[in-house]
Amino acid sequence: MSIDLSTPPVPISFEVYPPRSDAGVAALHETIRHLASVDPRFISVTYGAGGSTGGRSLELLTHILRETHVEPLAHLTCVGNTYAGANTLIREFLDAGITSFLALRGDPPAGATEDDAFLGDLASAAELVQLIDRVQAEREPYTEALIPGVPGAVRVEKRARVDIAVAAFPNGHPRSRHAFEDIDALLAKQAAGATLAITQLFFHADDYLAFVARSREAGVTIPILPGIMPITSGSRLRRVLELTGEALPADLAIALDVEPTVEGQRDIGIAHAARLASEVVDGGAPGIHLYAFNNHDTVLAVLREAGVLASATRMPDAVH
């Protein structure tokens, strides 16, 4: 199954992360059931840096693959991994039927810096994109199709290629050394074989729209999907800013700080994300990618307020 960003209505997708304990598995499966009910194009699953096996990420990806009709997309990171380790992990995902990936460089692990001698054999997300494609080509260099009317005969066909998404940074990566380095990096990822870009969060539609315009002028042709994160509390906003290095969105920060209730802060965050989603779609975005924080209520409320979903979406008895 390939990621399709062309079928109306507005294509949507979500990001979730593996449960931190066995106790969270059932709740996350229920969240995925609700997310799948609105027909997203894919659900991505995060993965920590390093490690040699898919672990909980793979368990969640295979659950999505087997129990829903939605395409699962696996995050992979470079930092802390060897060529051999990354090769093994990619094969593990492919063997499980996972054929869509998000290739990320990743951040140094706690206590490490960019100057450390070993952060991994793969120096960039572009190299990881190339490795994913190469592993799949080695594992399945071609496919066979039956020839109708000729029992036992097959026709050799080109292999189906994996879908490989990459990250994009509308306001620049915290480690960028100059204004256009992020676009140069995106061009390199595209040349390596990336088929889709998903942006880091942003707080104003113009940030995304201007970045897309600059990217197109530079030669980026792959779809650039806006990543939107509903910020429903002041503490979450502060944490997100620490992790991403984004500039403080003063309007949102003030609104969250002066609102005394949890419910009111949630409404503010939903309204802000819904307005952002509407504006980028009106500006030509090919879809909306929502960071769900393993909670379906908030992201579905954003989509309803943005007019992407009907105000009341019926939940089916089962998703297959």
Side-chain angles (χ1 to χ4, degrees):
M1 184 190 306
S2 63
I3 298 171
D4 179 7
L5 294 175
S6 62
T7 305
V10 178
I12 56 176
S13 54
F14 303 105
E15 176 185 293
V16 298
Y17 52 83
R20 294 186 172 90
S21 67
D22 292 340
V25 172
L28 183 52
H29 285 181
E30 182 66 7
T31 285
I32 287 170
R33 191 169 77 93
H34 281 271
L35 296 178
S37 75
V38 299
D39 295 326
R41 295 298 184 265
F42 62 89
I43 297 175
S44 72
V45 178
T46 64
Y47 181 76
S52 59
T53 63
R56 290 187 186 275
S57 294
L58 183 56
E59 291 174 4
L60 187 55
L61 288 160
T62 53
H63 171 82
I64 295 169
L65 183 65
R66 294 169 183 166
E67 302 299 329
T68 80
H69 60 282
V70 180
E71 175 81 352
L73 183 147
H75 290 214
L76 292 174
T77 58
C78 301
V79 168
N81 224 332
T82 63
Y83 280 114
N87 192 305
T88 298
L89 183 60
I90 294 165
R91 285 181 178 273
E92 184 176 17
F93 284 137
L94 289 170
D95 289 344
I98 309 302
T99 57
S100 296
F101 298 90
L102 174 60
L104 303 166
R105 182 179 182 274
D107 296 317
T113 70
E114 291 293 335
D115 298 326
D116 285 353
F118 180 75
L119 288 177
D121 288 336
L122 297 159
S124 68
E127 291 185 19
L128 180 55
V129 170
Q130 290 178 314
L131 180 61
I132 294 169
D133 192 60
R134 184 163 67 248
V135 170
Q136 196 245 2
E138 292 171 351
R139 179 180 173 276
E140 189 177 13
Y142 61 88
T143 59
E144 295 181 349
L146 296 176
I147 299 176
V150 186
V154 297
R155 178 176 59 249
V156 174
E157 297 184 340
K158 291 183 179 179
R159 66 182 173 92
R161 300 180 69 90
V162 291
D163 284 302
I164 308 175
V166 293
F169 300 88
N171 292 316
H173 193 281
R175 293 191 296 271
S176 293
R177 294 164 295 183
H178 56 80
F180 294 98
E181 185 171 10
D182 296 296
I183 293 178
D184 290 343
L186 187 53
L187 283 166
K189 296 171 190 176
Q190 175 178 277
T195 56
L196 169 68
I198 303 173
T199 74
Q200 173 67 274
L201 85 162
F202 53 92
F203 295 104
H204 304 285
D206 285 346
D207 295 341
Y208 166 80
L209 297 174
F211 174 76
V212 171
R214 293 195 304 272
S215 299
R216 297 292 180 238
E217 290 173 2
V220 176
T221 58
I222 59 176
I224 302 175
L225 198 58
I228 295 176
M229 181 183 294
I231 305 294
T232 54
S233 71
S235 59
R236 174 168 291 179
L237 176 59
R238 288 188 289 274
R239 178 59 175 160
V240 164
L241 296 180
E242 289 175 5
L243 292 173
T244 64
E246 289 289 313
L248 176 74
D251 53 345
L252 178 59
I254 292 170
L256 290 171
D257 283 344
V258 300
E259 171 55 49
T261 68
V262 172
E263 294 80 7
Q265 291 182 18
R266 180 178 182 274
D267 290 343
I268 289 168
I270 288 172
H272 181 272
R275 184 167 58 253
L276 201 55
S278 296
E279 290 173 354
V280 296
V281 169
D282 289 345
I288 302 167
H289 183 68
L290 285 161
Y291 299 99
F293 286 103
N294 287 13
N295 177 289
H296 58 275
D297 289 330
T298 299
V299 290
L300 295 184
V302 168
L303 294 173
R304 285 192 290 269
E305 188 157 333
V308 175
L309 297 180
S311 58
T313 302
R314 188 181 72 85
M315 186 66 196
D317 295 331
V319 177
H320 296 290

